[in-house]
């Protein structure tokens, strides 16, 4: 997920499990949500909204923070 955001920076990006190469299914949804939470809690990811609906989770207007960009450079 962080690499996808880095490649698209500075543009804001809508993320779904499929957009970052995670397979479909319950485990994929959990992995996606866990990754969003961990990156956000670490201060590496910012986003406008996280929507979980019948088609799965969507992170709207996601971007790496300055800290996230610096961590990926190291």
């Amino acid at each position: 997920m962080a690499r996808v955001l880095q490649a698209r920076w500075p543009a804001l990006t809508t993320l779904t499990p499929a957009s970052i190469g995670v397979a479909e299914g319950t485990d994929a949804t959990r992995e996606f949500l866990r990754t969003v939470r961990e990156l956000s809690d670490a201060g590496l990811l910012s986003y406008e909204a996280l929507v979980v609906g019948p088609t799965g989770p969507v992170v709207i207007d996601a971007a790496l923070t300055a800290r996230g960009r610096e961590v990926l450079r190291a």
Side-chain angles (χ1 to χ4, degrees):
M1 182 180 297
R3 299 287 178 204
V4 169
L5 291 169
Q6 183 180 33
R8 295 182 184 167
W9 191 88
L12 298 175
T13 304
T14 297
L15 298 172
T16 63
S19 73
I20 63 165
V22 176
E24 294 183 23
T26 303
D27 290 339
T29 297
R30 287 183 183 139
E31 179 182 342
F32 179 81
L33 292 172
R34 182 176 48 248
T35 302
V36 169
R37 184 189 72 224
E38 289 174 0
L39 290 173
S40 180
D41 287 352
L44 307 178
L45 171 70
S46 67
Y47 57 90
E48 184 68 29
L50 170 62
V51 179
V52 180
T55 59
V58 179
V59 178
I60 300 169
D61 290 346
L64 289 175
T65 63
R67 181 177 184 202
R69 289 189 312 275
E70 186 61 33
V71 166
L72 287 176
R73 273 188 231 164

